[in-house]
Amino acid sequence: MPDIVIHVLASAVYVGLAWHFWRTRWRSSARRAGASGELQGWERAAILVPLALHGWLLYAEIFSVQQLRFGFAQALSLMLWLAMAICWLESLAYRIEALLPMVLAMAALCAPLPGFFPGRLTPDAYSLEFKLHLFAGMAAYSLFTVATLHAVLISMLERQLHQRPSVADRGMPPLLSLEALVFRLTGAAFAVLTLTVAVGIAYSESIFGRALRFDHKTVFVVLSWLIFGLLLAGRWLYGWRGRTALRWTLVGFVMLLLAYVGSRFVLEVILHRA
């Protein structure tokens, strides 16, 4: 079976599940009918189907090839696969059903991208520094993605609580608990991003003979690292929460996306440098 067919199949299953969770967890008719908010066993198993297909494709395209091609499409696909896996594990301990439509829809968009954009050949793809830098970077991206989606969900639920009965009234964890979870995820992501930056500096020193190259990718990474560090410090020292925390989280996440995904998109799609 051609890989593009499997890409489309995984994306289609993600879309179907996103529609299912939106219809059963978000639509007002489902809430009025008193549909159960907790994940059922078959729903957990169903999520694993596209997750397994998606993971198999990523392994075949990134880790089992002779020459590694890695670009914005591979980064987004791997980032959303990891984010989806984190959410699945998180659902074992927290009530996050309302988050699933967003994550599944984003995974559906990103899963097939490597089938259309092959990426750029990556030099020195087998060095330990490069592998650690790549894995840590994608883990940081994924954790920040999940934390940002949690922050967006909190904002949506707060707005609905002031307007009409919502999914927030039916078995969701208290908003303060969700907010604490956001900062735990952000703290873990910040630690992994710090490791990514440190390994990147060592890798740049060994390959290019200098610790940092002054380009837009470096600038955006440093800006995002500073923003998330400021956010965590503000939370610890001044108790930042609510819209202040949401704004800083979104700004930091956008900076991080521009750092790698944005730069690779410009190189591959706009400038055609493969």
Side-chain angles (χ1 to χ4, degrees), residues 176 179-180 183 230-246 248:
L176 288 178
E179 191 172 70
F183 280 97
L230 179 63
L231 171 63
L232 292 171
R235 171 71 171 184
W236 183 53
L237 295 174
Y238 304 110
W240 285 359
R241 57 181 302 273
R243 293 187 178 182
T244 300
L246 174 63
W248 283 109

Side-chain angles (χ1 to χ4, degrees), residues 1 11 34 40 57 73 116 119 124 152 156 162 173 180-182 188 191 208 225 229 252 258:
M1 184 182 297
S11 182
Q40 304 299 307
L57 283 168
F116 300 97
D124 194 31
V152 171
M156 294 169 62
H162 289 92
L181 179 59
V182 169
F208 303 109
W225 185 85
L258 290 174

Side-chain angles (χ1 to χ4, degrees), residues 81-234:
W81 182 82
L82 287 170
M84 192 66 245
I86 291 169
C87 286
W88 190 90
L89 293 172
E90 188 184 356
S91 71
L92 299 174
Y94 297 95
R95 295 288 305 277
I96 60 163
E97 295 82 17
L99 187 69
L100 291 176
M102 287 190 288
V103 186
L104 286 162
M106 292 176 64
L109 289 173
C110 295
L113 288 178
F116 300 97
F117 301 97
R120 304 174 71 223
L121 285 173
T122 302
D124 194 31
Y126 300 102
S127 70
L128 178 61
E129 294 92 343
F130 177 81
K131 288 181 178 179
L132 185 57
H133 180 64
L134 176 64
F135 297 155
M138 290 299 99
Y141 266 83
S142 303
L143 285 166
F144 279 125
T145 299
V146 177
T148 302
L149 289 174
H150 277 71
V152 171
L153 175 63
I154 290 172
S155 177
M156 294 169 62
L157 295 178
E158 285 182 335
R159 188 177 301 112
Q160 289 192 8
L161 279 173
H162 289 92
Q163 294 175 351
R164 60 187 183 275
S166 70
V167 73
D169 302 320
R170 299 182 53 257
M172 287 292 293
L175 292 183
L176 288 178
S177 298
L178 282 175
E179 191 172 70
L181 179 59
V182 169
F183 280 97
R184 284 196 291 271
L185 288 167
T186 302
F190 181 76
V192 178
L193 180 61
T194 302
L195 173 64
T196 305
V197 172
V199 174
I201 290 173
Y203 177 70
S204 179
E205 181 71 39
S206 63
I207 295 297
F208 303 109
R210 49 182 173 172
L212 287 175
R213 290 188 299 169
F214 187 77
D215 54 21
H216 61 279
K217 184 174 74 171
T218 301
V219 170
F220 282 126
V221 167
V222 172
L223 282 175
S224 66
W225 185 85
L226 290 173
I227 288 170
F228 282 117
L230 179 63
L231 171 63
L232 292 171

